[in-house]
Amino acid sequence: MLKKRRLGRTGLMVSELGLGAMDTPHSPEAFETVVAALDSGIDFVDTARDYEGSEHLLGQVVRERGGEGWQIASKTFRHTAGAAQYEVDRSLSVLGVSRLALYQLHDISTPEAWEAVTAEGGALDGLKTAQYRGLIGHIGISTHSLEIARHAILSGEFDTVMLEYSAFYPESAPLIDLAAEHDVGVIAMRPVGGSGRTTTMRGNIARGTAGLLTPANLLRYVLSNPGVSIAIPGARYPSRVFENVATALAFEPMTESQRRQLEAEASRLYG
């Protein structure tokens, strides 16, 4: 059984391995991939209004097998209160649920975006209204900026923060520590690299030249950080889900030396 971790001050206990469903719809086995994740014990699936076909796919799964026992977390790109509220309503309709445990502001990665969503009448106000209406349980934020992540954690406004973290991008580690200090849940995106790195690694594995740099070791690296609440690698096929689940089930934390070695290998992938 997959281990559970606490998602910060939300109090939610979620499987330490989740499913990032951004690219899942772009697969002939999309439905089977989501079902494989749920049947394997994954109980947290991340989506967004702007992930093409993703909410629709998850809505199909909800309608065919029910939505009990797993959490769907969605996100909005919109920056105003009215637009954010509309997005929440659309998410609920498409997903076929009456409430989402977590809804996030999506890719708030510039000072301008931060100012817009946190200003009076900004998207944060819209999500607070949706929370008051009982449509969402908790409010989170995703970002590709370490500085915005710091603002979000220290603001006290967000229950979770989603940020990139992997051996390719270890710079997030101090922010993960800061989030733990403030009881903010950490959702680690791109835990096995993303951006074509996985394809390159699998090619190296097939040629017998991968060394330490494998998806399994990369996932171990992320799960070795106790401040990470959940890692959400993407998957288009059930086989990828099963590989990630097998890694998580057999997981033993890496030593600091092993983590540094993997970071060094990662830095040389395209070197």
Side-chain angles (χ1 to χ4, degrees):
M1 181 180 295
L2 289 171
K3 294 178 182 177
K4 303 270 189 176
R5 297 193 185 190
R6 181 172 172 272
L7 188 59
R9 58 174 170 256
T10 71
L12 295 170
M13 297 299 294
V14 295
S15 55
E16 62 185 0
L17 175 68
L19 173 67
M22 180 175 74
D23 293 327
T24 310
H26 309 302
S27 163
E29 298 179 52
F31 187 92
E32 293 80 4
T33 300
V34 178
V35 170
L38 301 180
D39 286 348
S40 298
I42 290 173
D43 61 12
F44 184 97
V45 181
D46 177 76
T47 184
R49 291 290 303 135
D50 287 85
Y51 292 166
E52 183 182 0
S54 185
E55 284 191 341
H56 178 72
L57 167 64
L58 299 180
Q60 287 182 306
V61 176
V62 168
R63 289 173 175 88
E64 293 200 24
R65 64 167 286 156
E68 296 299 317
W70 56 296
Q71 306 288 352
I72 302 173
S74 196
K75 304 187 284 292
T76 177
F77 262 133
R78 306 305 175 256
H79 289 178
T80 65
Q85 289 183 70
Y86 175 79
E87 293 272 85
V88 171
D89 288 332
R90 286 297 300 150
S91 289
L92 296 176
S93 176
V94 173
L95 291 166
V97 297
S98 60
R99 182 180 182 273
L100 289 174
L102 176 65
Y103 212 89
Q104 302 153 95
L105 300 180
H106 193 180
D107 192 15
I108 307 304
S109 300
T110 66
E112 293 78 15
W114 172 260
E115 291 296 330
V117 298
T118 58
E120 184 176 353
L124 179 57
D125 280 350
L127 294 192
K128 287 181 178 179
T129 298
Q131 189 178 47
Y132 176 79
R133 293 168 61 199
L135 303 180
I136 62 176
H138 304 280
I139 296 173
I141 188 171
S142 76
T143 182
H144 292 277
S145 163
L146 298 181
E147 189 59 31
I148 299 298
R150 179 178 298 276
H151 287 321
I153 292 164
L154 296 178
S155 72
E157 298 282 10
F158 298 97
D159 300 315
T160 65
V161 61
M162 178 185 293
L163 41 72
E164 182 172 356
Y165 177 60
S166 72
F168 294 104
Y169 196 77
E171 292 87 349
S172 297
L175 276 301
I176 293 173
D177 293 340
L178 184 66
E181 291 174 18
H182 292 267
D183 204 17
V184 174
V186 173
I187 303 168
M189 59 177 158
R190 295 184 178 177
V192 296
S195 302
R197 297 186 182 107
T198 304
T199 300
T200 301
M201 283 187 290
R202 291 191 184 282
N204 291 341
I205 292 170
R207 290 186 293 272
T209 60
L212 292 175
L213 202 58
T214 65
N217 278 338
L218 287 162
L219 188 55
R220 281 186 64 210
Y221 174 97
V222 172
L223 294 178
S224 294
N225 189 323
V228 170
S229 305
I230 186 167
I232 53 165
R236 295 190 184 194
Y237 298 95
S239 60
R240 297 291 187 256
V241 171
F242 297 143
E243 289 174 7
N244 291 334
V245 169
T247 297
L249 289 175
F251 163 71
E252 292 185 5
M254 284 184 163
T255 65
E256 182 176 354
S257 174
Q258 288 173 322
R259 295 197 301 272
R260 299 295 89 81
Q261 288 176 345
L262 192 61
E263 290 169 5
E265 289 286 330
S267 70
R268 290 194 288 267
L269 180 64
Y270 293 131

